[in-house]
Every structure is written in C-alpha cells, then in structure tokens.
Amino acid sequence: MPEEDNSQILPPAGAPTQATDAVLEPAEPLAPGSAPAEAVPEEPAPPIPSSVATPASSAPLPLPQAFEATSPAVQTAPASLSHLFTKLKEKLFGRTEKRLNKILDYARKKGSITNDQVQMLVYVSDATATRYLSKLAKQAKLMPVGKTKARKYTPL
C-alpha cells in the first residue's frame, strides 16, 4: 500500500497548532526583568468619589413612602388579602359544587358511575375523582357497589 503525503494537512514542525498557541507563546524568550515591547504600564485606578458611600460606613438609607410601616397600603393589605382569599374560596367551592352536580346528573341518567367516568367527565385526577365520589357517598346521594377495583356508584 503506498504511503500518503500528509505534508499539506499537518503543520510544519515547531509551528503553532492553534491560533491561541501563537499568542500565548512568544517567539523569543524574554530576558529576566524586561517587559515586552508592546506592554503598556498600568495606570492606577481612579479614586472613588466621596459621594459614593461604602456599605460598612454608610447609614441605612431612608425607605420610600410606599414602603414605610405607616403606609395605608401596608395597613390594609391583610384585609384585602383576606377578601381575595374569601373570593377565591367561594369560586373554588362553586366549581366543586358544579362538578358534583354534573357527576350526580350523569349517574342518574346512566344508572351508575365509575371513578374513570368521573375523571373523563369533569377532567380531574384519579384522587380527585375518588374524593368527589366519597363526598357524594357521605352525603347519601350515591351508594358504592362492589369491590375496590370494580366499584360503581349508584344514585339513591
């Protein structure tokens, strides 16, 4: 088998293999104590103006009016939060009641309902469907019939 000519592919011996090698390694060694010709002496950093305070020596900054403890927004926040919480609770309770009524109507129409049917009917998880069916059973609106896996709920 003839040997291939790799001289066009490989760099010549001693040449840098990457572009960064040429920058990082000087062509000639420097004499001790001498600086490269292109080196510019560093200038000292400008002094920090006296108007800029350092964290260790600065006093606490005053809070804007909106963040002070006497602000009306802070004083009324618990009342407004409890009002929002109450509205949210009513909305969620209303949604649950609508779902329970939908489950009960389906069970009356079809004669029985299963957990899987509840999941698909009201778009809830297995645990939520079980909770809804248990709640309707406790209210004596549905009666569980059968074992755990094949349990159906019939309307009363």
Side-chain angles (χ1 to χ4, degrees), residues 27-90:
E28 299 175 16
L30 296 174
S34 65
E38 302 113 22
V40 178
E42 289 187 29
E43 294 181 19
I48 298 174
S50 61
S51 63
V52 177
T54 60
S57 66
S58 65
L61 297 174
L63 290 174
Q65 180 66 24
F67 295 107
E68 289 183 10
T70 58
S71 173
V74 173
Q75 290 176 352
T76 59
S80 64
L81 285 177
S82 64
H83 175 68
L84 288 175
F85 182 69
T86 304
K87 284 178 65 175
L88 177 64
K89 200 173 180 182
E90 289 172 359

Side-chain angles (χ1 to χ4, degrees), residues 12-148:
T17 56
Q18 294 180 347
T20 57
D21 290 344
V23 175
L24 296 177
E25 296 178 9
E28 299 175 16
L30 296 174
S34 65
E38 302 113 22
V40 178
E42 289 187 29
E43 294 181 19
I48 298 174
S50 61
S51 63
V52 177
T54 60
S57 66
S58 65
L61 297 174
L63 290 174
Q65 180 66 24
F67 295 107
E68 289 183 10
T70 58
S71 173
V74 173
Q75 290 176 352
T76 59
S80 64
L81 285 177
S82 64
H83 175 68
L84 288 175
F85 182 69
T86 304
K87 284 178 65 175
L88 177 64
K89 200 173 180 182
E90 289 172 359
K91 187 173 184 174
L92 291 175
F93 182 72
R95 182 175 16 179
T96 302
E97 288 301 314
K98 285 180 185 177
R99 288 177 176 173
L100 292 175
N101 288 334
K102 192 173 184 179
I103 293 167
L104 196 55
D105 290 342
Y106 183 89
R108 287 182 180 144
K109 181 179 176 183
K110 298 292 184 178
S112 67
I113 192 166
T114 64
N115 187 305
D116 289 337
Q117 290 170 332
V118 171
Q119 289 178 48
M120 293 189 303
L121 181 67
V122 291
Y123 306 104
V124 293
S125 68
D126 178 52
T128 303
T130 302
R131 194 168 50 249
Y132 286 169
L133 290 169
S134 297
K135 188 173 188 177
L136 288 170
K138 283 183 182 178
Q139 294 174 357
K141 294 181 179 180
L142 292 177
M143 183 176 75
V145 177
K147 297 290 179 187
T148 308

